[in-house]
Amino acid sequence: MSILSGKTGLIFGIANDRSYAWFIAQALLAHGATCIYSHIPGEKNERRTRKAVEALGVTNPILISCDAGSDADLDRAFTEYADKAAGRMHFLIHSIAFADREHLQPGRFTATPRASYLSAIDVSAYTLAAMANRARPMMRDSGGGSVLAMSYYGAEKVIPGYNVMGVAKAALECTARYLASELGQDNIRVNTISGGPLRTLAASAVGGIDKMLEATPRFAPLRRNVEGTDVGGTAAWLCSDLSAGVTGQNIYVDCGISIMGGADPSTPQG
């Protein structure tokens, strides 16, 4: 039996077939899960998400429009999900983030406007708590569940150009820990995955992403950049009963680059 057989859940964040959410969906489906997918409101966004999901081999995928920055829209989306999934939810994937592109450049953090700072935290971090709150009754009635969000090492260390997104990801990781503490009584686990740099639509907005992708194979212990399938496999494990004792954790899936405090002298520097 597949490790996710009989499990159903909701995935936020599939923008195209290069996003981490897409690779997570791929792994969940491969292990027997049933997935429902959220998309940003608008016909163009719906078509883009539908195309990406159909590329996974899913015929007639169930898509739900949701503006995560609106409480009313979150209420509607989770009500719609409950109706389509018969009130069952075993996993929730939060793979969304937002920050104004113009403030994701090296040397621009100090000038971040208040509105941009707060909107980054709202969409990238607060939404995890908002979604978990709405998912809780369904997960509790389903015998428990797994909430999973995507983070990055810029939440802990300064990554030039990551700027306010690093602040938002730090808030996201802390939010996950507080949620894990509170939801554990309902057998709901909450974890984050800190994925390495991946060339995604969101990552393209970060100044210096090309340098990150160039440097990682030189300095990471595995001597390569992370692949979407690496994160997908970890997500499948975290959504399965195989990780039943794991909650409140930030799991690094970055080919080991986060453990390095300096360049390995034996590594060719080019």
Side-chain angles (χ1 to χ4, degrees), residues 247-258:
T247 194
Q249 303 302 309
N250 183 44
I251 310 296
Y252 297 94
V253 185
D254 60 4
C255 296
I257 190 67
S258 58

Side-chain angles (χ1 to χ4, degrees), residues 8-29:
T8 301
L10 178 58
I11 300 179
F12 282 82
I14 296 182
N16 53 46
D17 61 2
R18 297 184 302 279
S19 62
Y20 268 136
W22 188 89
F23 287 102
I24 290 172
Q26 182 184 54
L28 299 184
L29 291 168

Side-chain angles (χ1 to χ4, degrees), residues 7-236:
K7 295 188 181 296
T8 301
L10 178 58
I11 300 179
F12 282 82
I14 296 182
N16 53 46
D17 61 2
R18 297 184 302 279
S19 62
Y20 268 136
W22 188 89
F23 287 102
I24 290 172
Q26 182 184 54
L28 299 184
L29 291 168
H31 287 285
T34 298
C35 301
I36 293 176
Y37 312 87
S38 170
H39 67 85
I40 300 172
E43 292 183 7
K44 181 179 179 180
N45 292 316
E46 180 180 359
R47 287 196 301 270
R48 185 171 62 179
T49 298
R50 184 179 300 277
K51 180 180 178 181
V53 173
E54 288 177 343
L56 292 168
V58 179
T59 304
N60 298 321
I62 299 176
L63 304 181
I64 296 176
S65 172
C66 183
D67 173 4
S70 164
D71 285 330
D73 222 35
L74 282 168
D75 286 339
R76 180 199 52 75
F78 275 81
T79 297
E80 185 176 346
Y81 170 88
D83 180 62
K84 294 181 182 300
R88 299 170 69 248
M89 179 179 281
H90 301 100
F91 58 84
L92 171 66
I93 306 299
H94 177 288
S95 187
I96 64 172
F98 173 80
D100 291 333
R101 179 186 291 262
E102 63 181 296
H103 303 299
L104 298 181
Q105 300 296 327
R108 294 295 303 275
F109 178 68
T110 307
T112 306
R114 183 189 300 271
S116 296
Y117 189 102
L118 296 177
S119 68
I121 292 177
D122 180 21
V123 176
S124 308
Y126 171 74
T127 52
L128 178 63
M131 291 178 190
N133 184 45
R134 290 162 173 82
R136 183 178 191 175
M138 288 186 283
M139 288 191 169
R140 182 176 55 221
D141 292 345
S142 300
S146 175
V147 178
L148 179 60
M150 290 302 305
S151 190
Y152 175 59
Y153 191 51
E156 300 176 49
K157 304 294 183 181
V158 173
I159 304 295
Y162 205 57
N163 297 6
V164 69
M165 186 57 74
V167 176
K169 291 296 188 182
L172 176 76
E173 291 182 12
C174 191
T175 297
R177 289 190 289 271
Y178 275 89
L179 288 172
S181 174
E182 191 166 302
L183 300 181
Q185 61 186 310
D186 294 326
N187 195 32
I188 298 171
R189 298 177 294 110
V190 186
N191 295 286
T192 56
I193 291 178
S194 183
L198 184 72
R199 196 176 295 281
T200 64
L201 185 64
S204 67
V206 179
I209 182 65
D210 290 335
K211 292 182 179 179
M212 295 181 206
L213 292 168
E214 178 185 349
T216 299
R218 297 167 60 196
F219 302 127
L222 293 183
R223 301 296 190 264
R224 66 174 177 86
N225 278 305
V226 70
E227 298 178 2
T229 52
D230 297 325
V231 166
T234 301

